[in-house]
Amino acid sequence: MCGRFAVTLPDDAMAKVFEAMPGNDLPHVPNYNVCPTNDVHVIRAEDGTRLLVSMRWGFLPHWYKAPNDGPLLINARAETIAEKPAFRAACRERRCLIPASGFYEWTKTEDGKRLPWYIAPVEGEVLAFAGVWQDWERDGQAFRTCAIVTTGANAEMSKVHHRMPVILDRRDWGLWLGEEGRGAATLMHAAPDGTLKLHRVDPRVNSNRAEGPELIEPLIEPI
């Protein structure tokens, strides 16, 4: 799964990397502790143009009567996304990229303590998560919402968790966005082994109120 991540690239640098036109009211960056229901940066394609826009992280199916009417859908499983009523139309018609500098995962000690890890690319400054998006409107409230597609873990990630985000290679961005015809389903797999690095970080990040660059710094274990 993916329940927390970091974004450190400035908006203009992000737009350049993804060859996208930046919109207004983009989320604040850097953000070292992006949490569910936060607004996040998203790249979507429209009429042959890539747009860098803001969306709420937490997919709202059209039948939800309120934002809290059902489970908070921050992830969509690659294995079932084409079948689940919440995601199947978005999987065909509304795919997007969700940029991240890295993401967090947790392991547990025998006494139940949650130990956070930060996972980042071995090369490059940004990861592109596969995502899906959905417009939702009810009783005067309107949100454009998204979820991150997840799959089984690769060798590095399996050390800390059995799931991970689908991370798309640059050459596959156009196919996922629908710019290059059919075949996006073939992209929903784990990133190749050796492309990610991970290290323990301070448990402060366990709080969704924590912030600052020190959250992603390697933890120096006490002697």
Side-chain angles (χ1 to χ4, degrees):
M1 64 174 295
C2 180
R4 209 85 70 77
F5 62 95
V7 179
T8 61
L9 274 183
D11 294 340
D12 56 348
M14 211 180 306
K16 184 176 180 179
V17 168
F18 290 95
E19 300 178 338
M21 182 180 300
N24 298 321
D25 300 322
L26 292 170
H28 171 75
V29 285
N31 186 346
Y32 295 90
N33 194 7
V34 180
C35 302
T37 73
N38 286 172
D39 288 339
V40 298
H41 292 79
V42 172
I43 294 93
R44 66 183 184 91
E46 181 178 303
D47 298 329
T49 300
R50 291 182 185 177
L51 305 175
L52 176 62
V53 298
S54 175
M55 294 190 189
R56 176 188 185 269
W57 184 23
F59 192 97
L60 296 179
H62 64 85
W63 60 82
Y64 276 25
K65 296 179 181 178
N68 60 354
D69 193 35
L72 183 60
L73 303 177
I74 61 171
N75 295 156
R77 293 176 66 93
E79 298 86 348
T80 58
I81 191 172
E83 305 164 5
K84 292 288 186 180
F87 299 120
R88 61 191 178 199
C91 182
R92 292 192 305 269
E93 303 164 7
R94 295 185 299 278
R95 297 187 298 273
C96 61
L97 305 173
I98 300 174
S101 302
F103 61 100
Y104 300 95
E105 195 50 80
W106 282 261
T107 54
K108 280 189 178 181
T109 63
E110 291 183 0
D111 59 359
K113 291 182 180 178
R114 299 177 73 234
L115 306 178
W117 296 75
Y118 184 67
I119 301 97
V122 170
E123 296 182 358
E125 296 181 287
V126 67
L127 300 169
F129 297 153
V132 290
W133 64 274
Q134 168 79 42
D135 281 335
W136 181 90
E137 185 173 1
R138 186 69 63 95
D139 297 331
Q141 288 185 299
F143 297 101
R144 181 157 282 178
T145 69
C146 64
I148 295 169
V149 182
T150 65
T151 189
N154 66 7
E156 287 80 33
M157 274 301 301
S158 64
K159 299 173 184 176
V160 297
H161 202 273
H162 66 286
R163 304 285 298 175
M164 67 180 295
V166 171
I167 299 169
L168 298 172
D169 188 271
R170 178 187 292 266
R171 65 177 179 268
D172 296 324
W173 293 351
L175 183 57
W176 183 257
L177 289 172
E179 298 169 341
E180 300 172 8
R182 298 177 178 273
T186 64
L187 305 177
M188 291 190 287
H189 53 73
D193 296 341
T195 57
L196 298 173
K197 57 186 177 182
L198 58 160
H199 57 258
R200 280 279 315 282
V201 292
D202 195 292
R204 277 206 321 116
V205 78
N206 292 358
S207 168
N208 60 13
R209 293 185 296 273
E211 56 185 34
E214 63 275 10
L215 295 181
I216 67 172
E217 293 298 321
L219 179 68
I220 300 175
E221 297 281 5
I223 299 175

